[in-house]
């Protein structure tokens, strides 16, 4: 069973966010709640869909991740770029804050 | 340039109010994303990888200094201090907030601008020759007709839900600088038998997944019939264009499946019913619009400018720039100046807010306050006195826009690619930067001569790779970025789709591969041949051999 | 479904009869193109008004010769993105001179009302009654038109010169 987290863009400013343990959204993938089974995945998506209807976020979807020493990383390169910010602009996105 | 009257202004103001309402309904949860999406797209607002993206229309690429300053202001106040000029002569902002977009659109409306139909399945910004109105080889100024088309196609009630987006390009010159054969409709101004001007009509060109050079469906259309003929084409397309498959929905597929002859028949039949009717613009209206494009108050200058020639002799760097980035103007003593947005190692098409402000100042000082955006992602000052060229050049150097590389290997078109774009397979910008760095030596660039590299991050071909002399297409191979190389494409009057040279290259190998192609050309070229000339003479085999020799 | 005409909810005397269903003996009925083509004589023999419903791949050319037999032509929007019926409505009005009701059915959303009116629709079957409140704003929020269509609005290029001629 692949590990997954739910991601989306925040409705107001479009920022990339991840669904957290408490059902909120964080800009850091590491705060993301990881699903490890089909049921967990369905629960997460149900929570995400509910907040999308408010609307808090836009178009939530699942991405595959790996977890190493408590750090969550996306599997796909596209999602790594989404999580970090554009490689050609190191000053923008999460990458800027990690220095 | 065209200035709004009260009607034009009312429309954009109303549109801002309308969009403000739509955004409010979306934020209140009254509209689902599915319902809101087409509405925001009709106003140029996308959702990309990192954020929303706003595409602002620059009608046929023409901007006033005042408008350019407003674009700079928007970049500073609502975005992150920069914007990206696109191959469709528009500008994109990569970080706007949905909540701010109504305010941004209101700012734009205050300088007669908008983002209407810069996205979505309707008419897009009509594009043209960046030298329109000043080119020495021009039959007639196409911008008059671009503006007529702009108005007719704005919020067209019948054609706002087409099968797919629709792009029209117009050129007034035989040398095609607007890639008209690669548009849904291309219009080329021609002379009729009695010397009157009209249009050759081309339908069904395009790039994307299935590139086509469009066929001509009418050799000569008298100008007065322009809108009725366009409406006939659109009506045929709106009814028959495929709606079952997004990838087959463009008019090029319809033309390809039905055949150009049959399409012509259907268009002509539809046109028979609507020609000579309400769509014939009154003469006064054409003249009113034409008056907006009247030539600026040029001074009477000598064609020969000894002072300019003297400066060229004295300053080699200036001479190189003047020979490369300056084009002939139809009025003696004037020149067309290209501002390169392709500094060595830079991001093609990006400009900072400070650069935009500086360009606005230069335009006011040197070029009657007007700026043009080119489909090759550069800027143009169209009306500069030759005697001012040296001073202008020095100021352009100060703001990093004097790289003498127009049409050379580092004048690369690149789409946003995976750095920003949600549809991308691979990054485009870093490849452009690496190629630009590899060939940073200007002497070498000039020795290589005209060579157009165009890079897209996926098959949608926003970076025009199909028509690059060297085209580069990003692929995703099991999660790794790979790049396919095509050779021999062209977007000019001799438009051609490039041919895939062989298996794709990894990200590390692709710049070496480009260099191998270039070196092969340099060895094979005969007296003064450009890259495409050599390619057309020898074909792809010699390049292929060299590229894959080791394998 | 609620029916809007000129911004007001109106009673809808018409029933849309599915192909598999028995046609009612009397009362106005809207039938499919298929039923019309298969049972033309039977339908004409009924002593009640007849309407026809066209799917988005059924252009009005298919019924052009029979238009005077229909009091309603309903044009379907299977999804709002499918814009074929805008052309069909204009053809009905402008090419075939049809004067009966042209009704928009299917996915008919507030932000399309204005385009629909401009193309010659005069009745809209809407999702819910909220549409009545949305109507006024929807059809008046853009007052400038740049092109002639099936409605009576004058494009600005004519207005401009009308005014300057009067000055
Ligand atoms: C970043 C967001 C963008 C998205 C999501 C996007 C999406 C697309 C798609 C889906 C197509 C294929 C359409 C088709 O074949 O039917 C396309 C084509 C195209 N786009 Fe983009 N694009 C983006 C940015 C750009 C930019 C920045 C430019 C200009 C530099 C551009 C210019 C074009 C052009 C010239 C074409 C090909 C011509 C044609 O329409 O056939 N696009 N785009
Ligand atoms: S070509 Fe592909 S990757 Fe590049 S901008 Fe267009 S859609 Fe995005």
């Amino acid at each position: 069973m692949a590990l997954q987290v739910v991601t989306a863009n925040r409705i107001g400013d479009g920022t990339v966010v991840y669904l957290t343990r408490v059902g909120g959204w964080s800009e850091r993938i590491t705060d993301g709640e990881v699903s490890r089974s089909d049921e967990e995945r369905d629960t997460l998506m149900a929570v995400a869909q509910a907040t999308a209807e408010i609307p808090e976020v836009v178009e939530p979807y699942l991405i595959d991740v790996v977890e190493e020493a408590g750090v969550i990383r996306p599997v796909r390169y596209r999602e790594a770029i989404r999580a970090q910010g554009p490689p050609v602009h190191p000053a923008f996105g999460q990458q800027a804050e990690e220095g | 340039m065209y200035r709004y009257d009260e009607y034009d202004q009312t429309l954009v103001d109303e549109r801002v109010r309308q969009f403000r309402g739509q955004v409010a309904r979306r934020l209140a949860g009254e509209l689902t994303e599915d319902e809101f999406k087409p509405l925001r797209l009709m106003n140029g607002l996308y959702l990309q990888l990192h954020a929303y993206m706003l595409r602002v229309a620059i009608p046929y690429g023409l901007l006033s200094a005042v408008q350019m300053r407003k674009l700079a202001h928007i970049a500073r106040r609502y975005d992150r201090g920069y914007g990206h000029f696109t191959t469709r002569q528009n500008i994109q902002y990569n970080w706007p907030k949905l909540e701010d977009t109504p305010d941004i659109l209101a700012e734009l409306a205050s300088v007669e601008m908008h983002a209407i139909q810069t996205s979505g399945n309707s008419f897009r910004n009509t594009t043209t020759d960046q030298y329109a109105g000043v080119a020495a080889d021009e039959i007639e100024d196409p911008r008059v007709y671009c503006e007529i088309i702009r108005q007719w196609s704005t919020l067209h009630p019948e054609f706002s839900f087409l099968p797919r987006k629709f792009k029209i390009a117009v050129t007034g010159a035989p040398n095609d600088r607007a890639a008209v054969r690669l548009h849904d409709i291309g219009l080329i101004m021609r002379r009729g038998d009695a010397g009157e001007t009209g249009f050759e009509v081309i339908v069904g060109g395009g790039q994307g997944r299935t590139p086509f050079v469009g066929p001509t469906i009418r050799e000569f259309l008298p100008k007065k019939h322009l809108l009725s003929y366009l409406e006939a084409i659109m009506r045929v397309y709106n009814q028959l264009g495929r709606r079952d498959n997004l990838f087959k929905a463009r008019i090029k597929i319809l033309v390809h499946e039905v055949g150009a002859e049959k399409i012509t028949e259907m268009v002509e039949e539809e046109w028979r019913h609507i020609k000579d009717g309400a769509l014939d613009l009154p003469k006064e209206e054409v003249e009113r619009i034409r008056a907006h494009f009247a030539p600026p108050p040029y001074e009477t200058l000598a064609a020969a400018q000894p002072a300019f020639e003297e400066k060229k002799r004295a300053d080699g760097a200036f001479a190189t720039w003047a020979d490369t980035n300056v084009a002939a103007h139809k009025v003696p003593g004037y020149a067309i100046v290209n501002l390169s947005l392709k500094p060595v190692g830079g991001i093609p098409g990006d400009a900072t807010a400070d650069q935009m402000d500086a360009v606005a100042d230069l335009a006011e000082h040197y070029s009657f306050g007007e700026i043009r955006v080119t489909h090759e992602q550069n800027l143009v000052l169209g009306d500069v006195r030759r005697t001012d060229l040296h001073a202008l050049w020095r100021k352009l150097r100060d703001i990093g826009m004097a790289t003498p590389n127009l049409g050379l290997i580092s004048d690369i078109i690149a789409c946003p690619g995976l750095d920003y774009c949600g549809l991308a397979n691979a990054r485009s910008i870093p490849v452009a930067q690496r190629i630009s760095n590899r060939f940073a030596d200007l002497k070498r660039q000039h020795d290589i001569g005209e060579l157009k590299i165009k890079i897209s991050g996926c098959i949608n071909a926003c970076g025009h790779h199909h028509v690059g002399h060297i085209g580069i297409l990003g692929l995703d191979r099991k999660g790794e970025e790979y790049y396919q190389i095509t050779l021999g494409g062209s977007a000019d009057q001799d438009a051609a789709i490039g041919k895939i040279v062989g298996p794709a290259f990894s990200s590390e190998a692709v710049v070496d591969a480009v260099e191998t192609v270039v070196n092969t050309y340099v060895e094979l070229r005969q007296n003064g041949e450009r890259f495409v000339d050599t390619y057309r003479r020898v074909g792809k085999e010699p390049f292929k051999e060299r590229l894959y020799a080791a394998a | 479904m609620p029916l809007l005409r000129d911004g007001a909810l109106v009673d809808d005397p018409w029933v849309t009869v599915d192909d598999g269903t028995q046609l009612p003996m009397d009362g106005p009925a809207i039938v499919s193109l298929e039923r019309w083509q298969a049972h033309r004589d039977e339908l004409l023999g009924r002593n009640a008004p007849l309407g026809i419903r066209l799917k988005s791949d059924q252009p009005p050319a298919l019924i052009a010769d029979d238009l005077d037999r229909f009091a309603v032509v309903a044009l379907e929007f299977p999804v709002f993105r499918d814009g074929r019926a805008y052309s069909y409505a204009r053809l009905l009005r402008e090419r075939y001179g049809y004067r009966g009701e042209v009704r928009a059915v299917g996915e008919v959303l507030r932000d399309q009302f204005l385009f629909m009116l401009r193309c010659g629709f005069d009745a809209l079957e809407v999702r819910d009654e909220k549409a009545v409140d949305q109507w006024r704003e929807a059809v008046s929020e853009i007052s400038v038109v740049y092109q002639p269509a099936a409605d009576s609005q004058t494009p600005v290029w004519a207005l401009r010169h009308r005014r300057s001629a009067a000055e």
Side-chain angles (χ1 to χ4, degrees):
Chain A
M1 181 73 222
L3 305 185
Q4 293 186 309
V5 300
V6 183
T7 183
N9 293 76
R10 203 153 54 204
I11 176 105
D13 62 4
T15 302
V16 175
V17 285
Y18 301 89
L19 190 66
T20 68
R21 257 142 249 155
V22 290
W25 295 90
S26 165
E27 294 177 17
R28 297 175 349 154
I29 190 169
T30 294
D31 297 337
E33 170 76 337
V34 179
S35 91
R36 294 159 207 279
S37 68
D38 287 357
E39 296 90 75
E40 285 181 11
R41 182 196 61 202
D42 293 347
T43 312
L44 281 185
M45 272 312 278
V47 174
Q49 290 296 355
T51 71
E53 271 159 39
I54 294 176
E56 203 173 307
V57 296
V58 182
E59 291 178 352
Y61 62 96
L62 289 155
I63 58 169
D64 291 347
V65 296
V66 291
E67 197 173 8
E68 282 160 12
V71 175
I72 301 171
R73 282 191 300 105
V75 170
R76 282 188 63 199
Y77 189 54
R78 172 188 199 272
E79 290 303 328
I81 289 179
R82 260 183 100 244
Q84 292 292 311
V88 292
H89 267 298
F92 303 147
Q94 278 300 308
Q95 56 192 359
E97 284 160 39
E98 285 159 20
Chain B
M1 67 188 282
Y2 186 75
R3 299 299 312 264
Y4 283 7
D5 68 1
E6 65 201 88
Y7 297 108
D8 303 304
Q9 189 65 47
T10 301
L11 185 135
V12 296
D13 291 343
E14 288 177 342
R15 181 67 165 191
V16 172
R17 227 169 298 140
Q18 180 189 45
F19 192 58
R20 204 179 281 285
Q22 289 166 345
V23 170
R25 281 189 281 143
R26 172 68 183 124
L27 291 171
E30 288 167 32
L31 289 173
T32 64
E33 180 61 14
D34 245 18
E35 290 164 352
F36 180 60
K37 195 170 177 177
L39 303 177
R40 67 168 160 76
L41 289 179
M42 292 295 275
N43 287 287
L45 190 64
Y46 285 78
L47 186 59
Q48 285 302 303
L49 274 189
H50 309 288
Y52 290 100
M53 180 272 275
L54 180 69
R55 186 181 288 158
V56 175
I58 301 177
Y60 33 95
L62 194 58
L63 279 174
S64 69
V66 173
Q67 291 173 327
M68 185 64 110
R69 282 197 193 95
K70 182 61 83 177
L71 294 180
H73 167 74
I74 290 171
R76 261 190 215 105
R77 166 101 193 260
Y78 302 96
D79 209 86
R80 299 195 173 174
Y82 71 107
H84 178 73
F85 289 99
T86 80
T87 51
R88 307 218 65 262
Q89 302 180 300
N90 289 325
I91 186 169
Q92 292 184 179
Y93 293 106
N94 287 309
W95 306 93
K97 299 187 167 116
L98 174 61
E99 304 151 334
D100 284 342
T101 44
D103 292 338
I104 299 176
L105 296 184
E107 297 251 17
L108 289 169
S110 75
V111 294
E112 305 176 9
M113 294 183 79
H114 59 74
I116 299 170
Q117 289 169 220
T118 54
S119 176
N121 294 332
S122 187
F123 297 102
R124 302 294 186 85
N125 187 27
T126 296
T127 51
T128 191
D129 183 353
Q130 64 267 23
Y131 298 166
V134 294
D137 60 352
E138 184 168 278
I139 293 176
E140 194 178 316
D141 191 340
R143 295 172 303 176
V144 178
Y145 302 95
C146 292
E147 176 58 27
I148 288 171
I149 294 170
R150 182 190 76 81
Q151 296 194 17
W152 162 78
S153 64
T154 297
L155 305 188
H156 198 297
E158 186 179 348
F159 306 129
S160 285
F161 296 90
L162 295 169
R164 202 72 184 88
K165 57 174 144 179
F166 206 90
K167 302 176 179 178
I168 302 177
V170 192
T171 179
N175 293 307
D176 182 4
R177 287 172 290 260
V180 294
R181 289 195 177 274
L182 297 159
H183 284 75
D184 296 287
I185 295 179
L187 298 169
I188 304 177
M189 298 209 81
R190 298 267 185 232
R191 273 196 200 289
D193 298 335
E196 81 285 17
T197 50
F199 303 96
E200 176 182 343
V201 183
I202 296 153
V203 170
Q207 304 192 49
R209 186 171 300 262
T210 29
F212 286 108
V213 174
T216 296
I217 67 161
R218 195 170 233 281
E219 295 290 346
F220 189 79
L221 178 73
K223 284 188 298 198
K224 82 181 208 61
H225 296 305
L226 177 62
L227 293 185
S228 59
Y229 204 78
L230 292 180
E231 191 141 314
I233 297 171
M234 298 314 296
R235 188 165 285 160
V236 168
Y237 171 56
N238 190 41
Q239 296 182 72
L240 298 180
R242 288 183 58 171
R243 292 177 187 264
D244 58 331
N245 180 339
L246 197 64
F247 298 131
K248 301 197 166 163
R250 296 289 290 270
I251 196 173
K252 62 189 174 187
I253 304 292
L254 180 66
V255 172
H256 183 70
E257 286 180 352
V258 176
E261 241 166 71
K262 181 81 183 127
I263 288 289
T264 310
E265 250 170 58
M266 288 190 284
V267 169
E268 295 276 332
E269 167 59 20
E270 177 59 38
W271 186 49
R272 201 171 57 77
H273 293 282
I274 59 176
K275 70 187 280 206
D276 300 321
L279 282 160
D280 287 5
L281 277 189
K283 252 210 183 73
E284 317 86 84
E285 178 63 1
V286 180
E287 289 318 312
R288 184 189 75 90
I289 291 175
R290 187 185 309 284
H292 286 285
F293 297 97
Y298 293 120
E299 295 166 36
T300 313
L301 301 171
Q305 297 285 339
F308 165 68
E309 298 302 333
E310 178 49 39
K311 279 273 190 300
K312 269 178 77 173
R313 266 192 300 278
D315 189 336
F318 172 62
T320 305
W321 175 81
D323 290 340
T324 313
N325 287 24
V326 176
H329 195 288
K330 67 179 184 186
V331 176
Y334 282 85
I336 303 172
V337 175
N338 286 277
L339 282 49
S340 173
L341 291 181
K342 321 285 175 66
V344 171
I347 297 179
D350 270 17
T352 64
D354 291 347
Q355 283 178 317
M356 292 183 220
D357 276 338
V359 170
D361 292 345
L362 293 176
E364 271 172 354
H365 200 231
Y366 292 108
S367 194
F368 300 102
E370 285 184 11
I371 302 124
R372 296 134 185 267
V373 181
T374 83
H375 90 269
E376 296 188 319
Q377 300 184 283
N378 292 310
L379 301 177
V380 164
L381 297 181
D383 298 291
V384 181
R385 288 186 304 203
R386 285 193 169 269
T387 44
D388 287 337
L389 284 174
H390 191 258
L392 174 60
W393 169 68
R394 291 178 50 168
K395 290 182 180 156
L396 287 174
R397 266 200 324 191
D398 293 344
I399 57 169
M401 291 195 182
T403 315
N405 60 350
L406 196 83
L408 302 182
I409 192 167
S410 64
D411 186 8
I412 299 170
I413 292 183
C415 78
L418 196 48
D419 277 285
Y420 293 101
C421 176
L423 302 175
N425 285 325
R427 287 174 295 167
S428 315
I429 298 168
V431 176
Q433 291 173 313
R434 279 156 54 208
I435 293 173
S436 169
N437 281 322
R438 175 74 61 96
F439 292 91
D441 177 2
L442 275 167
K443 262 214 358 253
R444 183 171 176 207
Q445 289 197 40
H446 281 269
D447 174 62
I448 294 165
E450 183 185 302
L451 208 176
K452 302 194 173 181
I453 297 188
K454 308 191 186 211
I455 310 174
S456 306
C458 80
I459 194 61
N460 287 323
C462 303
H464 290 194
H465 68 275
H466 292 300
V467 293
H469 296 167
I470 299 177
I472 301 177
L473 165 65
L475 308 172
D476 177 346
R477 283 270 181 82
K478 299 199 185 106
E480 299 230 1
E481 295 172 296
Y482 265 75
Y483 296 91
Q484 184 176 70
I485 292 187
T486 51
L487 297 178
S490 166
D492 302 343
Q493 54 280 5
D494 56 358
I497 307 297
K499 297 236 172 11
I500 297 169
V501 68
F505 296 90
S506 70
S507 182
E508 295 80 65
V510 67
V511 179
D512 289 338
V514 168
E515 190 163 24
T516 303
V517 170
V518 172
N519 290 342
T520 309
Y521 148 67
V522 170
E523 284 162 30
L524 292 175
R525 72 177 161 194
Q526 296 173 353
N527 37 35
E529 271 180 344
R530 298 170 307 161
F531 176 86
V532 264
D533 303 327
T534 303
Y535 173 83
R536 284 176 187 157
R537 179 170 56 78
V538 305
K540 75 175 180 188
E541 283 313 316
F543 296 97
K544 190 170 174 176
E545 264 166 43
R546 284 285 296 277
L547 276 171
Y548 303 99
Chain C
M1 279 220 253
L3 187 69
L4 270 184
R5 246 179 180 284
D6 285 334
L9 280 179
V10 293
D11 284 335
D12 185 3
W14 294 87
V15 286
T16 301
V17 188
D18 292 339
D19 280 355
T21 318
Q22 177 79 35
L23 206 62
M25 289 304 288
D26 46 24
I30 297 176
V31 300
S32 70
L33 175 69
E34 290 79 2
R35 185 184 291 230
W36 164 251
Q37 288 171 336
H39 303 285
R40 180 190 170 94
D41 291 342
E42 181 196 334
L43 289 166
L44 289 176
R46 271 177 96 245
N47 213 353
L50 191 63
I52 192 163
R53 177 172 172 131
L54 299 180
K55 298 198 184 69
S56 69
D57 60 354
Q58 297 173 334
L62 297 170
I63 52 165
D65 294 337
D66 294 318
L67 276 171
D68 51 0
R69 305 186 185 276
F70 304 114
V72 168
V73 178
L75 300 175
E76 210 174 288
F77 291 84
V79 289
F80 67 85
R81 274 178 241 101
D82 184 341
R84 281 175 276 194
Y86 294 103
S87 287
Y88 299 162
R90 284 195 69 183
L91 288 169
L92 280 171
R93 296 294 188 208
E94 297 171 55
R95 178 92 17 104
Y96 306 121
Y98 180 67
R99 327 231 18 178
E101 176 177 310
V102 179
R103 177 183 291 205
V105 298
E107 203 169 17
V108 176
L109 306 178
R110 176 241 188 255
D111 292 287
Q112 297 159 266
F113 291 175
L114 182 60
F115 291 148
M116 289 176 172
L117 291 192
R118 293 216 62 216
C119 287
F121 288 94
D122 56 355
L124 314 178
E125 247 183 55
V126 290
R127 228 175 0 191
D128 55 50
E129 303 194 352
K130 265 200 309 207
V132 182
D133 304 328
Q134 299 168 343
W135 168 275
R136 188 145 308 283
E137 199 183 43
V139 301
S140 63
E141 60 196 358
I142 302 287
S143 66
V144 174
V145 307
Y146 278 122
Q147 56 294 98
D151 59 350
S152 56
Q153 285 204 68
T154 311
V156 293
W157 69 56
L159 289 178
R160 281 171 177 144
H161 301 286
R162 197 178 284 173
R163 194 192 46 190
S164 58
E167 268 164 14

